[in-house]
């Protein structure tokens, strides 16, 4: 029982992380001039919304109650995200913006790996967490490909 409560606590941390990041991505998309970056941020926000649904279900499967953070204005987000978002909103350099988005993805990959390593989960839950982490890794890869493409285009001009 204690293990189930601990697992639920960690899942709730991931739920909060994804909830805050989803809102941050969507708010930033609305505030940024570059339409391509805004679309990418909306896509990332959508992905996080899907993560939230799966984590909510996983928490309920554990017999727990999902704990959603309170939404305040301005959005209060921890782990350095506010600073990164400020940098994104104040820049028009897409390579820099995507580098900053990559930092967010890296931090979240590390958090997922920490949670994955913490317990032996049932097969379904472990699969869900690993798929979400893999999605973050694939997005990070896409960010790097896009950054390289933007860099090459700058040099070619």
């Amino acid at each position: 029982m204690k293990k189930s409560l601990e697992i639920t606590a960690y899942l709730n941390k991931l739920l909060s992380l994804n909830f805050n990041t989803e809102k941050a991505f969507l708010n930033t998309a609305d505030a940024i001039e570059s339409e391509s970056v805004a679309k990418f941020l909306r896509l990332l926000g959508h992905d996080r919304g899907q993560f939230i649904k799966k984590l909510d279900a996983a928490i309920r499967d554990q017999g727990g109650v999902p704990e959603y953070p309170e939404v305040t204005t301005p959005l209060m987000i921890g782990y350095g995200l506010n600073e990164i978002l400020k940098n994104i909103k104040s820049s028009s350099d897409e390579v820099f913006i995507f580098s900053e988005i990559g930092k967010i993805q890296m931090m979240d990959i590390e958090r997922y790996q920490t949670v994955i390593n913490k317990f032996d989960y049932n097969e379904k839950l472990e699969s869900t967490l690993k798929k979400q982490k893999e999605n973050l890794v694939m997005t990070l890869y896409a960010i790097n490909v896009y950054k390289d493409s933007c860099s090459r285009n700058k040099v070619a001009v």
Side-chain angles (χ1 to χ4, degrees):
M1 179 68 171
K2 182 179 177 187
K3 180 182 172 188
S4 182
L5 291 174
E6 287 181 64
I7 290 172
T8 299
Y10 276 91
L11 293 176
N12 269 313
K13 287 179 184 178
L14 287 179
L15 180 77
S16 290
L17 168 91
N18 284 295
F19 183 85
N20 287 330
T21 305
E22 174 196 31
K23 300 302 177 220
F25 283 157
L26 295 176
N27 289 343
T28 303
D30 291 340
I32 201 161
E33 288 184 29
S34 170
E35 190 55 36
S36 62
V37 175
K39 285 179 183 179
F40 190 74
L41 287 168
R42 285 186 195 99
L43 178 64
L44 293 178
H46 174 76
D47 285 350
R48 296 304 178 104
Q50 298 304 307
F51 289 5
I52 291 166
K53 290 176 185 176
K54 298 251 185 204
L55 289 167
D56 183 291
I59 291 166
R60 292 177 194 281
D61 287 348
Q62 292 289 317
V65 176
E67 297 173 6
Y68 289 87
E70 289 185 34
V71 178
T72 59
T73 306
L75 191 62
M76 300 305 294
I77 308 164
Y79 68 94
L81 188 54
N82 279 330
E83 189 65 32
I84 293 171
L85 293 172
K86 251 192 272 182
N87 292 340
I88 290 171
K89 289 177 183 178
S90 67
S91 179
S92 61
D93 179 356
E94 289 190 356
V95 173
F96 174 77
I97 291 170
F98 278 100
S99 293
E100 294 297 287
I101 295 168
K103 287 179 187 177
I104 296 167
Q105 297 296 97
M106 280 300 301
M107 290 187 295
D108 292 352
I109 290 166
E110 290 170 9
R111 285 176 175 76
Y112 264 86
Q113 192 60 55
T114 298
V115 172
I116 290 168
N117 291 343
K118 190 78 176 166
F119 299 101
D120 289 326
Y121 299 100
N122 66 48
E123 191 175 315
K124 180 181 175 185
L125 179 53
E126 186 165 343
S127 174
T128 296
L129 294 174
K130 285 182 175 180
K131 282 179 186 175
Q132 289 182 0
K133 183 189 132 206
E134 184 62 28
N135 186 299
L136 294 171
V137 170
M138 294 304 293
T139 302
L140 183 61
Y141 176 74
I143 289 167
N144 287 326
V145 168
Y146 187 79
K147 280 182 358 188
D148 289 346
S149 174
C150 287
S151 295
R152 279 190 287 255
N153 288 341
K154 281 184 179 182
V155 171
V157 173

